[in-house]
Amino acid sequence: MALIFTTLCFIILVWTTIAFCLVEGYGSSRNANLVLETIHGDIYDCVDVYKQPTLLHPMPHKERIKMTIAKELEKQRPVKVKRLQKDENIYFKVEEFWLNKKGCPIGTVPIRRLTQELLQNAKDASLSMANASLVEDIIDFAGISINASPEIKSFTSATARVTLYNPQVNGLGQYSSATIFHQSADNATNFEQIQAGWIVHPKLYGDNRTRLYSHWTTDGGQKTGCYNNICSGFVQLDPTVPIDYAFPKISRPMYDDYELLIQIYKDEDYYLLFQGLFVIGFWPETIFNELRNGSQVVRYGGQAFTPAGEQYSPPMGNGNFEDGNPHTTCHMRQVLYGVGYNQLVQPDESLVQTHQSRCYHEGSQHNAHDDYWDYNFLFGGGGFC
């Protein structure tokens, strides 16, 4: 009974926070220690990590969340040294994203300034994740999934390297993404889910850039959850890589292979790891019920959204699907999942389920066992269906 009461309270707080943000403004300079600009012209406030929008209102177990933040801040200094010692070819370089070439100071986090219109759009976009089952909106997925089994009781991690592309969507309300998922159950309506990856979403961001993103829900998106840190839920930790980070370099078929290495792993809470070095933030396990014990499904692939009334669906991946040729097709490689504490394994091919949807495809899934490709597959399509 207490758990039900806590969950109901959290649902109310989620949308109360969004309403508060819509009135008061998001990333308000009142709480900013420093104002920064990116190479793309986005404006961010460096906000005290304990005063970020997701923590503006009371949350279940808020003091525990603050203790988690404090522990993570202690880890940041040695990790920052490791970043500087890492191979020079690391994809993310602070000086290539922030005009100040540093990012925010430790103890603060970058929160993007959004207009009232973009805040309302973010709320509408979050709700559209649920409305697709009620109206004529369409969510297409092409990729692979693995379900828990007697041998795999639950999943504690999902990770993959995915090529970065910039599919140009055909309407303001559309989006196209490359995503990894943790989900509580495969067919349940009120499923709990965490997803993260890259996305092109003009309505959410106000532009057509390829950006890092995350989304969560505890009821299939019907009443809970949102993108990034728009509502109470995701807690930003990293001072240099924001959750809505716009990638400065994008792949071109046959020329460049810029990649996103993304991982969602469970260590009490669920953490988002970027490029193997940056703990972007976390989702407190207290906002979930089923996912507290790990996920029952992990999914990897492309997802595209077409609102009701729009004639043509958006492209997925890089808009091409050349089965068997990863140099001209969006792909994921080094696909892994966790089955226990710090135990990452490659997918058992007998457990992998493949998914295609309308004009979107998946193919060439196999395990190369070569330490570069390992388990990999292709996905994508031109849309217009």
Side-chain angles (χ1 to χ4, degrees):
M1 192 70 181
L3 182 59
I4 294 174
F5 177 76
T6 299
T7 302
L8 288 173
C9 288
F10 187 73
I11 290 172
I12 295 171
L13 288 171
V14 163
W15 295 111
T16 300
T17 300
I18 290 180
F20 177 85
C21 289
L22 287 171
V23 174
E24 295 294 323
Y26 187 74
S28 172
S29 58
R30 291 182 307 171
N31 293 329
N33 296 332
L34 185 67
V35 179
L36 299 183
E37 185 176 354
T38 73
I39 61 171
H40 300 297
D42 293 336
I43 303 298
Y44 283 81
D45 290 315
C46 294
V47 178
D48 186 304
V49 66
Y50 298 105
K51 296 179 181 179
Q52 59 184 291
T54 194
L55 298 175
L56 283 178
H57 287 273
M59 295 175 65
H61 307 283
K62 188 172 181 179
E63 292 306 313
R64 174 194 172 280
I65 294 171
K66 288 184 175 181
M67 291 178 62
T68 300
I69 293 173
K71 288 190 295 184
E72 291 299 324
L73 291 178
E74 286 296 315
K75 297 178 184 178
Q76 282 185 3
R77 295 184 187 279
V79 170
K80 189 171 184 179
V81 173
K82 289 181 181 179
R83 292 177 187 173
L84 296 175
Q85 296 172 344
K86 191 71 174 175
D87 188 329
E88 288 297 320
N89 293 323
I90 183 172
Y91 179 73
F92 176 81
K93 295 180 180 179
V94 175
E95 63 272 17
E96 293 180 356
F97 181 70
W98 298 104
L99 291 185
N100 77 340
K101 302 186 184 303
K102 296 179 181 179
C104 290
I106 289 180
T108 68
V109 291
I111 302 297
R112 186 181 175 214
R113 287 190 184 181
L114 299 178
T115 64
Q116 298 278 344
E117 180 182 2
L118 282 176
L119 278 167
Q120 184 60 54
N121 286 346
K123 179 181 178 181
D124 295 342
S126 296
L127 292 175
S128 71
M129 300 289 281
N131 291 341
S133 61
L134 303 177
V135 296
E136 295 181 359
D137 295 342
I138 299 174
I139 297 179
D140 290 290
F141 174 75
I144 66 171
S145 66
I146 303 103
N147 287 20
S149 64
E151 295 77 22
I152 304 174
K153 303 299 182 184
S154 64
F155 300 98
T156 55
S157 179
T159 183
R161 292 181 181 270
V162 56
T163 41
L164 284 163
Y165 283 108
N166 182 239
Q168 292 301 295
V169 301
N170 300 311
L172 178 63
Q174 296 184 353
Y175 71 71
S176 185
S177 68
T179 306
I180 60 175
F181 303 77
H182 278 285
Q183 193 166 303
S184 59
D186 203 10
N187 297 315
T189 302
N190 294 327
F191 58 84
E192 298 184 349
Q193 186 187 81
I194 302 171
Q195 58 178 277
W198 63 253
I199 195 169
V200 176
H201 198 325
K203 186 170 185 178
L204 179 63
Y205 295 112
D207 59 39
N208 290 287
R209 297 190 181 100
T210 302
R211 291 179 180 265
L212 183 68
Y213 92 100
S214 72
H215 186 276
W216 69 273
T217 180
T218 60
D219 58 3
Q222 296 181 65
K223 294 182 179 178
T224 66
C226 64
Y227 284 99
N228 303 333
N229 48 13
I230 297 297
C231 68
S232 297
F234 184 81
V235 180
Q236 175 80 30
L237 286 175
D238 196 274
T240 57
V241 184
I243 187 58
D244 43 18
Y245 167 66
F247 294 95
K249 298 176 182 177
I250 302 298
S251 297
R252 296 178 299 164
M254 297 300 293
Y255 290 96
D256 306 310
D257 274 332
Y258 295 112
E259 293 183 318
L260 167 62
L261 171 56
I262 190 95
Q263 181 181 15
I264 303 172
Y265 68 92
K266 188 179 188 307
D267 181 6
E268 291 191 21
D269 304 302
Y270 281 88
Y271 288 81
L272 178 60
L273 186 65
F274 170 83
Q275 300 305 91
L277 284 174
F278 303 82
V279 178
I280 304 299
F282 68 96
W283 300 266
E285 71 162 7
T286 52
I287 69 178
F288 302 108
N289 294 314
E290 300 295 329
L291 285 180
R292 291 189 184 192
N293 299 314
S295 62
Q296 293 298 297
V297 185
V298 286
R299 288 199 289 155
Y300 310 77
Q303 187 163 275
F305 176 74
T306 309
E310 293 197 5
Q311 185 175 2
Y312 301 115
S313 60
M316 178 188 291
N318 65 359
N320 300 319
F321 187 79
E322 302 288 342
D323 199 0
N325 189 348
H327 300 293
T328 58
T329 312
C330 194
H331 60 272
M332 290 192 182
R333 66 181 180 93
Q334 293 185 2
V335 174
L336 300 166
Y337 55 72
V339 295
Y341 180 74
N342 204 26
Q343 296 179 354
L344 290 174
V345 298
Q346 297 178 22
D348 181 336
E349 295 182 63
S350 66
L351 300 178
V352 173
Q353 300 177 40
T354 62
H355 304 269
Q356 302 192 75
S357 180
R358 299 198 299 164
C359 54
Y360 305 108
H361 312 283
E362 181 279 338
S364 297
Q365 67 280 349
H366 71 289
N367 196 331
H369 298 287
D370 62 358
D371 295 331
Y372 179 81
W373 292 102
D374 286 331
Y375 195 92
N376 65 95
F377 66 95
L378 311 178
F379 65 93
F384 285 90
C385 54

